[in-house]
Structures are given as structure tokens and as C-alpha cells.
């Protein structure tokens, strides 16, 4: 008779290594939250739209002005990929960032591109944070993993 203990014995479950999780995230083909907002699948407060980008009110603002400038294409995961693949689109994002900041009354503003998990990036569809008013350094780094190593 076969020994069934191997089937009934509890198996030790270990968490996958971080690298495995990162690879899974990178391989994801799910539309990003921004693409879903653009498609009208989930709500979002879009304050401006051009042929190539749209501007979204951040759902959890870290400063009196906190907008996100987002390309309509989801082809680029972060600003480094975008700079390499379509520098004109990156320049357009910066131009739109200046426009919306100025329109909101902020001649001075901060432009933040969290790049990589270790820097606190949570949505892997490139976007620029446009921050106006009192935004301290730590507000934009609250999600940082600490080691700055994520691949
Ligand atoms: P990051 O952490 O740099 O990838 O930035 C992602 C940003 O997207 C965060 O500031 C979030 O608050 C913001 N965010 C996530 N989901 C939504 C949403 N549904 N509508 C607006 N902003 C969002």
C-alpha cells in the first residue's frame, strides 16, 4: 500500500524572493490604473487632456497642488524608458506640467518621477508628479523600500 503521508503532511510555504515578485510585476500585461481611468473604466479627475497626455488629480495629494501628467500610451514604464524611447513626448510632459502648474497659480513647482520600486514607484506607467506649495522631501519617498535596489 502506498504511503499517503507525503500527501497529508503540511508543506512548508516560503515567500518568493523579491526578485521573483519584481519580474512578475514587470511581466504584467494588465492595464495600469491610469489606462483604466483613461478608458473610463474607473473614475478619475482628469483636469486637462492633449493628443498625447492627460493630467490627473492625484487621489492622495502630498502637496496643495498634486497633479500627475501621464502619457496616453502605456508603452513606457518609467522616465528612463521614455527618455530613451520618445524624448519628444517627455518634453511635452514637462511643457504640460508647467502649463497646469502655472494655471493653478504656481510659477514654481516640483516635478518628480519616481523611478523603480526602490524609489517608491507604485504605478509602472510613466507619470510625472507636479507638486506645488509645501511638499517636503519625505512626502514623495514614503513608499521607498530603503535599499534602492529593486532588480
Ligand atoms: P508612484 O508611486 O510614483 O508610482 O505614483 C503613483 C501615484 O498615483 C500616487 O501618488 C497615487 O496616489 C496615485 N494614484 C493611484 N491610484 C490613483 C487613482 N485611481 N487616481 C488618481 N491617482 C492615483
Amino acid at each position: 500500500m502506498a504511503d499517503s503521508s507525503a500527501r497529508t503532511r503540511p508543506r512548508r510555504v516560503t515567500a518568493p524572493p523579491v526578485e521573483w515578485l519584481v519580474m512578475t510585476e514587470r511581466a504584467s500585461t494588465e492595464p495600469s490604473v491610469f489606462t483604466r481611468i483613461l478608458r473610463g473604466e474607473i473614475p478619475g479627475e482628469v483636469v486637462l487632456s492633449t493628443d498625447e497626455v492627460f493630467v490627473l488629480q492625484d487621489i492622495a495629494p502630498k502637496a496643495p497642488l498634486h497633479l500627475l501628467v501621464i502619457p496616453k500610451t502605456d508603452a513606457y514604464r518609467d522616465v528612463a524608458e521614455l527618455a530613451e524611447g520618445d524624448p519628444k513626448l517627455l518634453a511635452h510632459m514637462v511643457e504640460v506640467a508647467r502649463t497646469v502648474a502655472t494655471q493653478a497659480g504656481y510659477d514654481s513647482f516640483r516635478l518628480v518621477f519616481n523611478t523603480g520600486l526602490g524609489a517608491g514607484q507604485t504605478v509602472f506607467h510613466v507619470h510625472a508628479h507636479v507638486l506645488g506649495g509645501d511638499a517636503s522631501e519625505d512626502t514623495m519617498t514614503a513608499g521607498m523600500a530603503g535599499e534602492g535596489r529593486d532588480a
Side-chain angles (χ1 to χ4, degrees):
M1 194 169 140
D3 178 11
S4 64
S5 62
R7 271 188 280 129
T8 55
R9 198 183 304 135
R11 292 173 55 204
R12 202 162 62 136
V13 178
T14 54
V18 169
E19 287 79 4
W20 185 88
L21 291 170
V22 171
M23 283 174 64
T24 302
E25 161 64 29
R26 286 195 171 151
S28 172
T29 55
E30 291 291 304
S32 73
V33 63
F34 300 148
T35 295
R36 296 190 65 205
I37 290 171
L38 186 62
R39 290 177 181 169
E41 293 172 2
I42 56 174
E45 193 183 332
V46 176
V47 301
L48 187 142
S49 181
T50 74
D51 287 346
E52 293 178 292
V53 306
F54 64 108
V55 181
L56 182 67
Q57 171 66 52
D58 197 288
I59 201 168
K62 317 287 190 305
L65 177 74
H66 190 169
L67 301 172
L68 303 170
V69 181
I70 307 164
K72 290 183 175 176
T73 174
D74 65 356
Y76 306 103
R77 295 173 47 82
D78 59 43
V79 69
E81 283 191 7
L82 177 61
E84 195 177 326
D86 193 343
K88 280 189 178 167
L89 179 55
L90 176 56
H92 181 58
M93 288 175 69
V94 174
E95 181 192 351
V96 169
R98 185 176 58 181
T99 299
V100 290
T102 305
Q103 282 176 354
Y106 294 92
D107 289 333
S108 299
F109 60 94
R110 295 173 69 199
L111 206 51
V112 174
F113 291 89
N114 290 329
T115 307
L117 279 175
Q121 184 175 5
T122 57
V123 180
F124 291 83
H125 174 161
V126 64
H127 54 281
H129 296 260
V130 184
L131 300 152
D134 184 23
S136 61
E137 282 298 325
D138 58 348
T139 57
M140 290 308 303
T141 54
M144 283 181 72
E147 293 161 25
R149 179 182 154 274
D150 59 11

